Amino acid sequence: MRLFWKLFCSMVTITALACSIGGFVLIDGQFRAGLDAQAQLVTTENTLLRRTLLRQMQFSRTFTQEEAARLAEDASSTESRDSVRFRLSDGEGTVLAGHRLAAESSLVSSLAENEAGWEVLRAGDHLYLHAAAPVALEDGTVYLENWREVGNLFTLRKTQYTVFFYVLLGLLLATALAALALSAWMTRPLRRLSEAARQVAGGALERRVEVRGDDEIAQLGRDFNQMAAQLERHVTELTDHARRQEEFLHSFAHETKTPLTAIIGYGELLLSRPEDPELVRESAGYIFREGRRLESLSRKLLDMFVLEQNGVTLRQTELSSFLEETAGALRPALERDGIQLEVRAQPGTAPIEPDLMASVCLNLLDNARKAVSRGGHILLEGTPAEDGYTISVTDDGRGIAPEDLERITEPFYMADKSRARAQGGAGLGLTVCQRIAALHGAALKFDSAPGHGTRVQIHLKGGASY
């Protein structure tokens, strides 16, 4: 059953039960109060009649049943039609004097000795309150009985029940209409939430629900919006990751196809014209360069795979001598290109894996070399800090455009593809550097302005200075 109908049926049922029980208790209580009042009245009349009879008998010389019957007959003959009806009977039920009871009664026989009582007596369509009390005489006990018609009380109760039934029907109809409106109002946020859930399931991840109030349904709406936001973020990340993977595969295929095509082409040329020394030398040079580029690409891809599969063991290393030694590997190439390399490494230590960190520094220096023209300047700095050691590479080259800064660590991404390939690049160097830095609990921080140069920093934590 839907929640709408559960709310509707619950409200109507609770109203029906509450009103029915309340109406029954009210009408029955009013009826019983009236009946008790009439019973009190009839027993009071019985007491007064008994006292009157006993007072009159005080003037008689005998206190027998016959004398009591005579006095009762005299009293009965003087009563008007609308007066109280009574009779005098013995213990066997024989009427000694007074009026005839409208129906047979067992009240007298059920009374204990010297006990008075009353009952509701039905006679056809009439109802009476019948009271009886014993009167002790010299020759036995007689019973003085009186009765009063109370059918109007029962008729009134029946009328009240009938009226209450129709009032209850009207109340239930009004309650049903109100319950319909209230159920629709209470379930409207749930319907909107259900519609939003279906839209999200259909792909509309940006869908949100309007939240009003601070009740449980409003809290459910806020939770749904939070879930939808996280789902949208995760799906966006997965989509972006899938896009990057697709770009990676396309770039990988392209990067490997280009040198292979050149190698195969020049190889065929060598086979077809081996007698031309100049052509052989030129073809061999192209094959050598493309082969080295393919080797570099394969090595970097292998490094990326190994870094994803295995962790590294870090050891505390003195970084000033480490940076000097690392920079020495590139000094000949930089001097040949007319580029000045300056090293400013202050004493200090940090936990690193030397071979991997050397690869990072060399990659950054090589990138700086590719960005700097002849006569340019590259600075390798090492600066100790309170919580670690910072390595930075600064050049005065052409810089990096702002739109490229966020993507330069993506695999195969190259801001200037033609220049990068001409210099043997494949767009994987910074990707490997970023992953190596992550293994050291650090990250590459880029600061660049087109035409003014670039600065790359790595902050290693856990270091110490001298």
Side-chain angles (χ1 to χ4, degrees), residues 31-102:
F31 167 76
R32 290 190 177 277
L35 186 64
D36 289 341
Q38 291 294 323
Q40 182 67 29
L41 180 60
V42 78
T43 54
T44 301
E45 290 173 348
N46 185 277
T47 301
L48 293 176
L49 288 172
R50 192 171 73 241
R51 289 179 180 175
T52 301
L53 179 62
L54 291 175
R55 188 165 50 250
Q56 290 178 355
M57 290 180 65
Q58 289 178 354
F59 299 100
S60 176
R61 285 178 283 181
T62 59
F63 292 91
T64 62
Q65 294 182 8
E66 182 180 354
E67 182 64 18
R70 185 184 63 78
L71 292 174
E73 284 291 349
D74 292 343
S76 177
S77 61
T78 60
E79 295 289 340
S80 64
R81 176 175 295 182
D82 296 332
S83 298
V84 178
R85 298 180 181 183
F86 69 94
R87 73 175 183 177
L88 196 67
S89 63
D90 59 13
E92 302 297 328
T94 303
V95 178
L96 302 178
H99 302 86
R100 182 176 181 82
L101 193 60

Side-chain angles (χ1 to χ4, degrees), residues 178-389:
L180 282 173
L182 186 60
S183 298
W185 176 75
M186 293 181 66
T187 57
R188 184 170 55 185
L190 296 178
R191 292 196 300 272
R192 291 200 299 262
L193 190 62
S194 177
E195 180 184 358
R198 288 194 296 269
Q199 292 178 357
V200 170
L205 301 180
E206 73 284 354
R207 181 70 166 87
R208 301 292 184 271
V209 295
E210 183 181 0
V211 178
R212 297 177 181 176
D214 56 355
D215 56 7
E216 289 81 357
I217 296 180
Q219 182 60 45
L220 179 61
R222 282 189 287 270
D223 293 341
F224 173 84
N225 287 341
Q226 183 180 1
M227 179 201 68
Q230 292 181 352
L231 180 62
E232 182 181 15
R233 184 166 57 254
H234 291 330
V235 171
T236 301
E237 291 175 355
L238 289 174
T239 303
D240 189 54
H241 181 67
R243 177 188 58 79
R244 289 196 302 268
Q245 283 187 331
E246 184 177 1
E247 291 179 357
F248 179 92
L249 292 176
H250 289 169
S251 300
F252 176 73
H254 178 76
E255 292 296 332
T256 55
K257 180 180 179 181
T258 300
L260 287 175
T261 302
I263 291 172
I264 293 173
Y266 283 107
E268 290 178 348
L269 189 60
L270 283 174
L271 290 174
S272 62
R273 299 170 59 184
E275 70 283 354
D276 188 344
E278 185 65 26
L279 178 63
V280 170
R281 187 166 48 255
E282 182 181 357
S283 299
Y286 275 109
I287 292 175
F288 176 77
R289 286 193 296 273
E290 293 301 315
R292 289 294 297 271
R293 192 156 73 90
L294 185 59
E295 178 190 26
S296 175
L297 174 65
S298 301
R299 184 175 61 254
K300 290 178 179 178
L301 287 174
L302 181 61
D303 288 342
M304 289 176 61
F305 176 78
V306 171
L307 290 175
E308 288 180 352
Q309 300 298 320
N310 302 298
V312 295
T313 302
L314 307 181
R315 65 175 184 267
Q316 204 76 11
T317 304
E318 206 290 315
L319 293 176
S320 61
S321 58
F322 169 80
L323 294 177
E324 288 284 356
E325 181 181 352
T326 302
L330 276 182
R331 284 188 187 278
L334 293 173
E335 291 176 356
R336 186 173 57 250
D337 292 340
I339 299 173
Q340 180 184 359
L341 174 61
E342 181 182 0
V343 180
R344 299 178 189 169
Q346 300 180 27
T349 64
I352 63 170
E353 205 293 319
D355 292 335
L356 292 179
M357 189 53 62
S359 177
V360 171
C361 294
L362 290 174
N363 267 289
L364 295 180
L365 291 172
D366 189 54
N367 285 342
R369 176 186 66 82
K370 296 173 183 177
V372 173
S373 303
R374 177 173 291 273
H377 177 265
I378 299 175
L379 173 63
L380 175 62
E381 288 184 285
T383 307
E386 292 183 359
D387 61 340
Y389 195 93

